[in-house]
Amino acid sequence: MIKRRLYFNGRAGESAAAAVATMSSALVRDEAVEWEMRPGGMLVQKRGQNVDDPAPSLRVRVAYGALRYEISVNSRSTFGELKKLLTAETGLQPGEQKLIYRGKDRENGQYLDICGVKDRAKVILTEDPGSKERRFIEMRKNARIQTVQRAIAEVSMDVDKLAEQVSTIEKSVANGNKVPEVQITTLIEMLMRLAVKLDSISAEGESSSRKNLLGKRVQKCVETLDVLKVSNAGVKPVIVTTKWETFDPPPATARWEFFD
């Protein structure tokens, strides 16, 4: 078997080395990204061309699952600005989006033209997995809050009805009218049941404040009934009697006048 040996100290070696150096520099230019800070504080890709020249508009085709969008955008826009335009179409916030171009995730501050985006170029949009999980957690949290609010609202409606009855009894006792004691006792028991039901509701935040206010209202109604129970025991029942008016009976005989 004949073995061939390559020597890179000759012209052939110099040509091969030059080719390798050219390829390496091209890869470095493609991967290296320089950044600069905009006056507003946004970190963007550093531009190496004259930004005073008018920039053409591009029609970027965006694939989002089975959906397709065509977005008109300035060629010197950033991928972050493209995300803002896609928010109106997809409903996804910029922080929930990932844009992939030529197989790479693109940063918000990278410019379209510097990354090689041409007219009618295809960009793939995917939803950030972390944002999807956060949205799912937020949906579960909102559903739990709505369930708690409905439960508190139901108790509040029942308390409203019983509070009206407490007010009626209070007015009746204040006017000196005795109320059956069983009516007061029954109201107290019903209010205590609502207090137990309210206490079993696990609430937080605004719902917790509403729950506490409703609990104080129930307690106030019970305390009012306890006071009315004592006052009502001292009220004497009113006995209504009717005084009849008597009239004298008419005379038994009538006086007649005679005519000739």
Side-chain angles (χ1 to χ4, degrees):
M1 179 180 293
I2 301 175
K3 296 182 179 181
R4 300 181 60 184
R5 300 179 63 183
L6 298 178
Y7 296 93
F8 293 99
N9 56 352
R11 180 173 299 176
E14 292 177 355
S15 300
V20 171
T22 302
M23 292 177 61
S24 299
S25 61
L27 290 173
V28 169
R29 286 197 304 271
D30 183 63
E31 294 296 333
V33 177
E34 296 183 7
W35 302 91
E36 62 181 358
M37 188 72 68
R38 279 187 174 178
M42 181 179 180
L43 189 66
V44 298
Q45 191 175 4
K46 188 175 182 179
R47 305 192 63 87
Q49 61 183 21
N50 187 6
V51 297
D52 294 332
D53 297 336
S57 295
L58 302 177
R59 290 173 297 172
V60 179
R61 295 181 298 173
V62 181
Y64 176 41
L67 302 176
R68 298 292 182 270
Y69 303 98
E70 187 171 282
I71 306 297
S72 296
V73 63
N74 190 290
S75 62
R76 291 178 183 169
S77 298
T78 62
F79 280 90
E81 292 167 338
L82 178 59
K83 288 180 179 181
K84 293 180 181 179
L85 296 176
L86 286 169
T87 298
E89 300 290 340
T90 64
L92 295 176
Q93 295 301 317
E96 300 173 343
Q97 302 178 32
K98 289 181 64 177
L99 292 180
I100 301 173
Y101 179 64
R102 290 182 178 176
K104 299 178 182 179
D105 291 344
R106 299 298 174 172
E107 301 292 337
N108 291 337
Q110 289 184 285
Y111 289 99
L112 301 178
D113 56 349
I114 294 181
C115 293
V117 179
K118 305 296 183 182
D119 188 45
R120 300 187 67 80
K122 183 179 180 181
V123 176
I124 298 175
L125 168 64
T126 61
E127 186 175 357
D128 182 64
S131 66
K132 185 185 295 186
E133 183 179 357
R134 287 191 298 270
R135 189 168 66 252
F136 176 73
I137 295 174
E138 188 69 19
M139 289 175 60
R140 290 186 59 184
K141 181 180 178 181
N142 292 335
R144 184 169 61 252
I145 291 175
Q146 292 177 2
T147 301
V148 170
Q149 289 178 345
R150 283 195 298 268
I152 295 176
E154 292 176 359
V155 175
S156 180
M157 292 177 60
D158 293 337
V159 172
D160 288 341
K161 296 176 182 178
L162 297 182
E164 291 180 0
Q165 298 183 36
V166 173
S167 179
T168 301
I169 293 176
E170 189 175 15
K171 292 178 182 179
S172 180
V173 173
N175 293 331
N177 299 323
K178 190 175 181 63
V179 178
E181 185 176 349
V182 66
Q183 187 175 351
I184 299 177
T185 304
T186 303
L187 270 179
I188 292 176
E189 291 178 356
M190 295 175 69
L191 285 167
M192 293 304 296
R193 290 175 187 171
L194 289 180
V196 173
K197 184 177 180 180
L198 186 63
D199 188 62
S200 65
I201 299 175
S202 178
E204 58 184 13
E206 184 180 351
S207 299
S208 180
S209 300
R210 186 180 176 187
K211 172 187 172 181
N212 293 335
L213 290 175
L214 189 57
K216 292 179 180 179
R217 187 183 178 194
V218 173
Q219 183 180 357
K220 184 178 179 180
C221 288
V222 173
E223 292 175 353
T224 301
L225 288 173
D226 287 336
V227 174
L228 290 175
K229 189 175 181 181
V230 176
S231 301
N232 185 64
V235 176
K236 295 181 180 180
V238 179
I239 301 175
V240 180
T241 59
T242 304
K243 184 178 180 180
W244 298 94
E245 185 177 359
T246 58
F247 299 92
D248 295 331
T253 59
R255 186 176 180 181
W256 299 92
E257 186 179 355
F258 297 94
F259 297 94
D260 295 334

